[in-house]
Amino acid sequence: MNRDEVIDFIHDEAWMLDEGQYHDWLNLWLPNAVYWMPLNWNQQDPVNETSLLHEDNFMLRLRIERLHGARTFSQKPKSRCHHVLNRPRILELTEDSARVATKMHYVETRLDEQQLLALTVTHDLKATPEGIRIAGKRVDILNCDAAFGNIQLLP
Amino acid sequence: MTEADLKSRVDALIRPQQVHRDVYTSPEVYALEMRHLFRNVWVYIGHDSQTPNKGDYITAQIGDQPLLMVRHTDNEIHVLYNRCPHKGTKIVIDKAGNTGKFFRCPYHAWSFKTDGCLLAIPLKKGYEGTGLEETEASHGLAPVGAMMNYRGFIFARLAPEGIGFEEFFGDSLSSLDNMVDRSPEGKLTVAGAPLRYMHKCNWKMLVENQTDTCHPMVAHESSAGTAVKIWEEMEKPEGTPTPAAMEIIAPFMSPYEFFENMGIRTWPNGHGHTGVHHSIHSAYSDIPGYLDAMVAAYGEERANAILGENRHNTVYFPNIMIKGPIQQLRNFIPLGPDKTLVESWIFALDGAPSELTARTAMYNRMINAPTSMVGHDDLEMYERAQEGLMADGLEWVNIQRLYEDGEDFSEEAVLNGTTERQMRNQFDAWKRFMIGGAA
Ligand code: FES
Ligand SMILES: [Fe+2]
């Protein structure tokens, strides 16, 4: 794994989410990886406290399938989203793994409403014969302890 | 508004089988609720484990009234108005903190003991001979009308006179008891921060939804139904255990019959619960070590009786719901006629394995988070209803499923689990406590 590959990967992942290429996106994940979105700034415990999201492969798959369901009322009409990335900051880099933190602005819209979230996204990546894969992802929302309405897609 | 005017305004809104849409949409009715209903009843403030040490405080509210809850030097909890008696500044504004032995107002440094009493005023001689002791300011931070610490759960009533705590809640306290008894030590501790979920709808829509057993299989088909489908289609080795997430979400797809048979119980004063005989929480798998700890604490018979209760949602009128079997509390905080903040709290059972807390944390984030697939569809329904109610073609909201002539809400009743009697029970209490609580 080199620096450029890692940075391209981070950008490609966000691009897939914005384009709604969810099945390709899910293929980027290792089977035991977890997507974690803490409820509190500097939250350490994802298990015995509530989080906004702490989802394994099964839950992420459910989330994606649901978005396309015939009776998914909160997605009629559908939401759209948009990530703007700062330059990823490589925290660790070895031949077959990397840890990367990226500041992002995330915009989600539906009907006449639009919301903006400021994120710090930390990726744990692993090299596999099929390419780079996600071993874990933590998304810290700047105002994670604020009261939100629906956040329906994936920041 | 005279008492007679208030009574006729309120009476005109509630019929036995339907309620006028103004109870959800009218700013005038909302203002009356803040002024009367929320003043006359017992409202949940917080849990004593949020303020474990002397000087610990949290900010809270009853209706639109800013309050604080604090642990005094004698270890007792006090609930006070969060308003400096000098010029009105809020004394504290963070969600939680520790103030030490006294509060000090940040504006002109008047200070108060943690029971609210005025402690000191800088340059006090400026008040000599001015008659300060005759003003309300000299009494310090004002206390609420009454408060109660029931097994760690703090409730308060704003009105100095009114219905007593025991009389208001009566036998409905059995649900809170069951939640606390599930700890081998008889004690709960708040686990982490609450989810905070903003809803552009009236607070009562959320409370009514807690005993609405005809919506899960419809509104939540997209999440629960899809989960069941994915799990069935998934290639997995024989005997693969059902994941915890499936145990939580699959029961939402239970057929009508399941919800009919589970039963609803209503108590006087607007309280009630679903899941008299079984509930969506009944079939959770055992967590090793828990039953042993319960039997050691209570003996086998009592432990089995405690764990045999599987009440689903218990509504404590006016605005909280608890889930005893998983130690969750949801607070439906009114912020306007069409704005409600929902706080969803979870508790750890002292002396029980932490896996129970982990399951509850999973439930909370899967079902009640702003990022939750289940919550998304609920919120969508409430907000559509709030907008739909503006239609002038119809004026009434229907709550008559399984209505019976001559329903008497002063009696406890157990009925078919799809009845809307609990919604009618809430409006019976609403009507009475809007005008002071008299029968
Ligand atoms: S407003 Fe509090 S001391 Fe003046
Ligand atoms: Fe629901």
Side-chain angles (χ1 to χ4, degrees):
Chain A
M1 233 188 270
N2 69 40
R3 200 181 169 80
D4 277 351
E5 287 168 346
V6 167
I7 290 173
D8 282 350
F9 181 89
I10 301 290
H11 278 88
D12 288 347
E13 192 226 334
W15 189 266
M16 286 180 190
L17 288 173
D18 290 354
E19 297 296 312
Q21 297 162 358
Y22 290 115
H23 291 102
D24 294 341
W25 177 79
L26 200 58
N27 286 335
L28 299 178
W29 289 72
L30 291 173
N32 293 322
V34 169
Y35 183 131
W36 184 25
M37 192 188 290
L39 178 58
N40 240 324
W41 197 239
N42 283 330
Q43 185 176 339
Q44 303 299 321
D45 187 344
V47 176
N48 297 304
E49 292 178 16
T50 309
S51 300
L52 286 165
L53 231 99
H54 188 262
E55 297 194 345
D56 61 9
N57 207 271
F58 175 75
M59 286 299 293
L60 289 175
R61 215 166 120 187
L62 167 56
R63 200 169 266 281
I64 283 159
E65 290 297 327
R66 175 184 170 276
L67 287 176
H68 302 290
R71 289 183 176 156
T72 304
F73 306 111
S74 76
Q75 281 299 295
K76 289 176 175 297
K78 287 191 186 307
S79 305
R80 295 190 296 274
C81 72
H82 183 103
H83 288 79
V84 180
L85 282 65
N86 205 347
R87 183 165 179 265
R89 188 179 175 90
I90 313 258
L91 305 175
E92 284 166 36
L93 184 63
T94 70
E95 212 147 277
D96 59 1
S97 76
R99 196 175 165 78
V100 194
T102 312
K103 306 265 187 191
M104 303 187 192
H105 281 185
Y106 173 77
V107 179
E108 187 176 303
T109 185
R110 179 172 178 253
L111 293 164
D112 289 334
E113 306 253 341
Q114 180 164 290
Q115 63 178 326
L116 170 68
L117 300 173
L119 318 173
T120 303
V121 181
T122 310
H123 282 89
D124 280 307
L125 303 176
K126 289 258 176 313
T128 75
E130 289 79 41
I132 299 176
R133 291 292 177 265
I134 300 170
K137 178 173 175 177
R138 170 175 173 147
V139 178
D140 284 284
I141 301 180
L142 181 64
N143 59 341
C144 53
D145 53 354
F148 298 113
N150 278 347
I151 300 171
Q152 296 209 52
L153 302 181
L154 285 158
Chain B
M1 195 178 248
T2 67
E3 199 152 312
D5 289 346
L6 177 63
K7 186 167 184 330
S8 61
R9 176 72 177 116
V10 165
D11 284 349
L13 296 169
I14 313 294
R15 293 177 182 171
Q17 300 108 316
Q18 45 190 353
V19 294
H20 194 268
R21 57 134 176 218
D22 279 1
V23 304
Y24 305 99
T25 58
S26 156
E28 177 228 345
V29 173
Y30 180 79
L32 293 174
E33 285 181 329
M34 294 300 107
R35 191 126 166 244
H36 300 286
L37 175 70
F38 278 86
R39 189 176 158 76
N40 291 331
V41 294
W42 287 85
V43 178
Y44 178 68
I45 303 293
H47 192 262
D48 71 357
S49 66
Q50 292 173 263
T51 55
N53 303 308
K54 292 172 186 174
D56 284 350
Y57 65 83
I58 59 166
T59 48
Q61 65 291 306
I62 291 180
D64 58 1
Q65 297 298 297
L67 304 176
L68 63 85
M69 168 178 127
V70 60
R71 190 174 292 268
H72 188 48
T73 42
D74 64 359
N75 253 320
E76 290 300 308
I77 286 180
H78 289 256
V79 181
L80 307 166
Y81 285 91
N82 187 4
R83 187 267 197 211
C84 181
H86 182 212
K87 296 217 187 312
T89 308
K90 277 186 173 179
I91 296 297
V92 284
I93 59 162
D94 39 2
K95 291 187 192 96
N98 183 288
T99 192
K101 285 205 166 57
F102 59 90
F103 288 111
R104 182 177 183 272
C105 178
Y107 201 176
H108 312 94
W110 287 28
S111 58
F112 312 92
K113 292 190 211 158
T114 43
D115 61 0
C117 292
L118 182 61
L119 182 64
I121 298 179
L123 210 61
K124 184 124 191 223
K125 62 175 188 269
Y127 291 99
E128 271 165 29
T130 64
L132 179 69
E133 54 296 337
E134 282 143 42
T135 66
E136 60 176 14
S138 68
H139 301 305
L141 300 171
V144 291
M147 66 148 286
M148 176 75 184
N149 180 347
Y150 187 79
R151 303 193 71 181
F153 292 82
I154 314 298
F155 291 83
R157 190 190 66 217
L158 291 177
E161 305 290 331
I163 190 167
F165 179 86
E166 300 282 346
E167 189 192 345
F168 182 66
F169 287 115
D171 289 338
S172 73
L173 291 171
S174 55
S175 285
L176 261 177
D177 285 338
N178 183 257
M179 181 155 90
V180 180
D181 289 344
R182 284 168 174 265
S183 152
E185 296 169 14
K187 200 165 161 297
L188 306 184
T189 302
V190 158
L195 289 163
R196 302 177 72 239
Y197 197 173
M198 195 64 86
H199 286 58
K200 284 187 276 180
C201 70
N202 187 269
W203 64 277
K204 294 186 292 302
M205 287 186 186
L206 279 140
V207 182
E208 283 153 36
N209 175 265
Q210 304 311 308
T211 59
D212 181 328
T213 49
C214 286
H215 89 282
M217 67 300 282
V218 182
H220 302 308
E221 183 186 337
S222 72
S223 46
T226 308
V228 172
K229 195 178 114 233
I230 293 179
W231 179 247
E232 276 168 3
E233 287 170 3
M234 215 161 115
E235 282 174 38
K236 48 189 181 284
E238 192 80 26
T240 306
T242 315
M246 273 299 289
E247 277 194 4
I248 286 171
I249 203 167
F252 282 72
M253 276 314 276
S254 304
Y256 286 114
E257 205 186 359
F258 175 92
F259 290 98
E260 288 195 291
N261 292 338
M262 86 184 205
I264 282 186
R265 176 183 279 120
T266 69
W267 292 286
N269 296 324
H271 319 299
H273 80 95
T274 48
V276 178
H277 312 295
H278 59 258
S279 77
I280 63 165
H281 307 303
S282 300
Y284 292 171
S285 47
D286 289 335
I287 282 170
Y290 178 47
L291 182 60
D292 295 344
M294 287 294 283
V295 169
Y298 294 103
E300 198 163 339
E301 197 179 326
R302 175 107 176 88
N304 283 328
I306 293 166
L307 299 177
E309 277 293 346
N310 272 297
R311 297 183 184 186
H312 177 193
N313 292 345
T314 298
V315 169
Y316 286 109
F317 184 78
N319 69 327
I320 62 164
M321 180 279 282
I322 67 160
K323 283 181 177 291
I326 62 164
Q327 300 84 51
Q328 186 200 37
L329 184 151
R330 303 185 72 211
N331 193 357
F332 308 107
I333 301 167
L335 298 178
D338 55 0
K339 197 171 177 193
T340 306
L341 170 63
V342 185
E343 285 186 353
S344 298
W345 294 84
I346 61 167
F347 300 87
L349 298 167
D350 288 18
S354 66
E355 286 87 341
L356 285 148
T357 321
R359 179 159 67 198
T360 297
M362 178 183 272
Y363 186 97
N364 210 25
R365 65 176 183 260
M366 276 178 66
I367 312 298
N368 299 126
T371 36
S372 139
M373 293 173 263
V374 175
H376 290 160
D377 284 315
D378 280 323
L379 178 70
E380 178 76 11
M381 296 311 132
Y382 307 138
E383 293 187 348
R384 286 193 195 193
Q386 192 72 33
E387 292 182 20
L389 286 177
M390 299 316 289
D392 290 333
L394 294 160
E395 285 181 57
W396 296 88
V397 172
N398 190 290
I399 52 167
Q400 77 185 103
R401 173 177 284 280
L402 295 172
Y403 169 79
E404 290 165 34
D405 274 333
E407 284 179 335
D408 177 3
F409 299 108
S410 69
E411 295 283 328
E412 181 179 321
V414 174
L415 295 134
N416 178 305
T418 58
T419 182
E420 287 172 342
R421 179 180 161 115
Q422 172 54 17
M423 300 176 198
R424 299 189 287 277
N425 186 35
Q426 284 159 207
F427 279 108
D428 169 74
W430 187 88
K431 202 163 102 167
R432 287 185 294 112
F433 287 102
M434 280 289 265
I435 53 167

